Amino acid sequence: MSERPIIAVDAMGGDFGPSVVVPGAVEAARLHDLHVLLVGDTPKLEAELSKIDLANVHFDIVQADDVVHMNEKPSDILRRKKNASIQVACRLVKEGAADSVVSAGHSGATVACGMFIMGRLPGVERPALAALLPTEKNPVVVLDAGANVDCRPYHLFQFGLMGDAFARDLLSYAAPRVSLLSIGEEEGKGNSQVKEAYELLKMAQNLNFIGNAEGRDIFTGNIDVVICDGFVGNVVVKMSEGLAASLVRMLKRVFTSGFLPALGGMLAKGAFRHFARTIDYAEYGGAPLLGLQGLAIVCHGRSNARAMSNAIKMSGTFVRKGTNDRLAETILANEELTRFSRAI
């Protein structure tokens, strides 16, 4: 158990930059006994800090001279922007000065810097983004949510192992139900990638693999971890976010279309507020990039202070529970299956 996890925060990232990142980081540090390293332009960060009560907050400012813009390619950022805030934050983890990094900036840059600066855990073929989605019961982990567009069966196999470790530690699921996203529930359904991954998952040690799942099964709450490649996973996550936002807007229109609907809306105001909170991405903070030497959490570009605070809180929990150690142990325990699949 780490006494006080040190979280490097890309304070210049996101649509709103330091104006939301700094308050969110300070709140997380105060509420969850964390030490945050605010990485970015010192004068801008100090200006935001001057507006906040800093009592009982452990923090430092780490100067970064450059900022990543959304239209830049991750490969260019890695080569040409050595002093960008996200690169500086990832190097802090690489050098042991921080335990993890959180950023709402350029997601591609965060993934690239995490992979090439922080490096992978032993045995991990490809790190994967783990997105948390609300369901009828408890949150479900979807991975990969966009880090790897083209995957081999053994990549999906390892995603299942990583998702299992994450769900056990971060969501406190005793025996996470792991499922493979396909076009049918029956064994043998899906493309060759899914079929081969299915066979590997059946043989995994200490994995509660329950078979295939269809898209309609994701939100029932009867699955805890959903495995897919990054192309499919990113579509699932973004479609889910869009659908949730559309449902809220449609409900608002219904309950403002006349006196009786408006009265019903007023009576159900508390229930709708709870519903909106349940589907709000800010409740989960961001998507952890699992499989790194350390942890990187990728947040929405439009994240508010609450979303940043929750992402940093998640990062601290990950460090305190030693989830990376458990994840590495799980990968190495199933190394022979990965090696066998890679050789086919």
Side-chain angles (χ1 to χ4, degrees), residues 192-207:
S192 58
Q193 173 204 58
V194 169
K195 291 176 184 177
E196 290 179 41
Y198 190 105
E199 295 303 316
L200 291 170
L201 289 161
K202 279 200 308 184
M203 295 184 283
Q205 291 187 30
N206 303 318
L207 189 72

Side-chain angles (χ1 to χ4, degrees), residues 96-143:
D99 298 304
S100 65
V101 59
V102 176
S103 177
H106 193 307
S107 58
T110 304
V111 170
C113 290
M115 291 177 63
F116 292 103
I117 295 176
M118 294 162 61
R120 295 172 294 169
L121 283 172
V124 171
E125 292 283 337
R126 291 188 185 180
L129 278 171
L132 285 169
L133 297 179
T135 75
E136 295 175 31
K137 299 172 185 174
N138 297 306
V140 62
V141 183
V142 176
L143 76 166

Side-chain angles (χ1 to χ4, degrees), residues 56-111:
N56 302 315
V57 176
H58 298 273
F59 76 96
D60 286 295
I61 293 175
V62 179
Q63 173 63 27
D65 300 324
D66 216 339
V67 178
V68 170
H69 301 290
M70 296 305 293
N71 60 347
E72 296 179 282
K73 294 181 179 179
S75 56
D76 291 340
I77 294 163
L78 276 168
R79 289 196 307 268
R80 300 173 186 172
K81 289 203 164 183
K82 301 295 184 184
N83 291 315
S85 54
I86 184 57
Q87 280 227 47
V88 173
C90 288
R91 281 201 298 274
L92 289 169
V93 178
K94 175 70 174 178
E95 295 162 3
D99 298 304
S100 65
V101 59
V102 176
S103 177
H106 193 307
S107 58
T110 304
V111 170

Side-chain angles (χ1 to χ4, degrees), residues 11-343:
M12 308 305 291
D15 295 351
F16 310 108
S19 66
V20 301
V21 177
V22 171
V26 168
E27 179 186 27
R30 178 185 290 114
L31 294 179
H32 308 293
D33 192 25
L34 305 172
H35 189 123
V36 294
L37 301 179
L38 299 169
V39 183
D41 182 84
T42 300
K44 291 181 179 178
L45 301 185
E46 288 177 339
E48 294 300 327
L49 287 166
S50 67
K51 307 172 186 176
I52 305 170
D53 177 12
L54 299 175
N56 302 315
V57 176
H58 298 273
F59 76 96
D60 286 295
I61 293 175
V62 179
Q63 173 63 27
D65 300 324
D66 216 339
V67 178
V68 170
H69 301 290
M70 296 305 293
N71 60 347
E72 296 179 282
K73 294 181 179 179
S75 56
D76 291 340
I77 294 163
L78 276 168
R79 289 196 307 268
R80 300 173 186 172
K81 289 203 164 183
K82 301 295 184 184
N83 291 315
S85 54
I86 184 57
Q87 280 227 47
V88 173
C90 288
R91 281 201 298 274
L92 289 169
V93 178
K94 175 70 174 178
E95 295 162 3
D99 298 304
S100 65
V101 59
V102 176
S103 177
H106 193 307
S107 58
T110 304
V111 170
C113 290
M115 291 177 63
F116 292 103
I117 295 176
M118 294 162 61
R120 295 172 294 169
L121 283 172
V124 171
E125 292 283 337
R126 291 188 185 180
L129 278 171
L132 285 169
L133 297 179
T135 75
E136 295 175 31
K137 299 172 185 174
N138 297 306
V140 62
V141 183
V142 176
L143 76 166
D144 179 23
N148 307 281
V149 174
D150 297 306
C151 295
R152 303 290 296 168
Y154 53 87
H155 296 142
L156 298 184
F157 170 61
Q158 288 200 337
F159 297 166
L161 301 177
M162 291 190 284
D164 173 78
F166 177 78
R168 287 176 186 272
D169 275 8
L170 273 294
L171 301 177
S172 299
Y173 296 164
R177 295 160 296 180
V178 179
S179 194
L180 185 62
L181 192 60
S182 187
I183 57 171
E185 295 179 356
E186 301 83 4
E187 182 174 352
K189 286 291 185 75
N191 56 21
S192 58
Q193 173 204 58
V194 169
K195 291 176 184 177
E196 290 179 41
Y198 190 105
E199 295 303 316
L200 291 170
L201 289 161
K202 279 200 308 184
M203 295 184 283
Q205 291 187 30
N206 303 318
L207 189 72
N208 183 18
F209 178 58
I210 61 173
N212 286 338
E214 298 184 63
R216 66 188 178 191
D217 301 321
I218 294 174
F219 301 101
T220 61
N222 297 324
I223 302 168
D224 301 314
V225 178
V226 174
I227 311 162
C228 53
D229 64 42
F231 183 91
V232 173
N234 195 262
V235 171
V236 167
V237 170
K238 289 182 177 176
M239 183 183 71
S240 303
E241 292 172 354
L243 177 60
S246 293
L247 282 173
V248 170
R249 288 193 292 268
M250 286 188 283
L251 284 170
K252 284 182 179 178
R253 282 201 298 269
V254 168
F255 287 107
T256 55
S257 61
F259 174 74
L260 289 177
L263 180 60
M266 288 180 64
L267 294 173
K269 191 174 182 179
F272 290 128
R273 189 182 296 114
H274 176 73
F275 172 72
R277 190 178 183 87
T278 300
I279 64 173
D280 187 359
Y281 68 88
E283 286 295 297
Y284 310 107
L289 183 61
L290 303 178
L292 298 177
Q293 297 273 11
L295 174 70
I297 294 188
V298 180
C299 304
H300 279 280
R302 62 181 185 275
S303 289
N304 55 25
R306 182 164 65 91
M308 295 305 301
S309 179
N310 284 335
I312 295 166
K313 172 190 174 184
M314 181 196 296
S315 186
T317 303
F318 189 97
V319 174
R320 280 197 167 104
K321 290 200 172 184
T323 304
N324 250 7
D325 294 337
R326 213 141 14 260
L327 196 153
E329 290 168 4
T330 304
I331 293 291
L332 292 176
N334 291 275
E335 188 176 19
E336 288 187 11
L337 282 174
T338 303
R339 192 184 304 119
F340 168 74
S341 177
R342 197 192 305 116

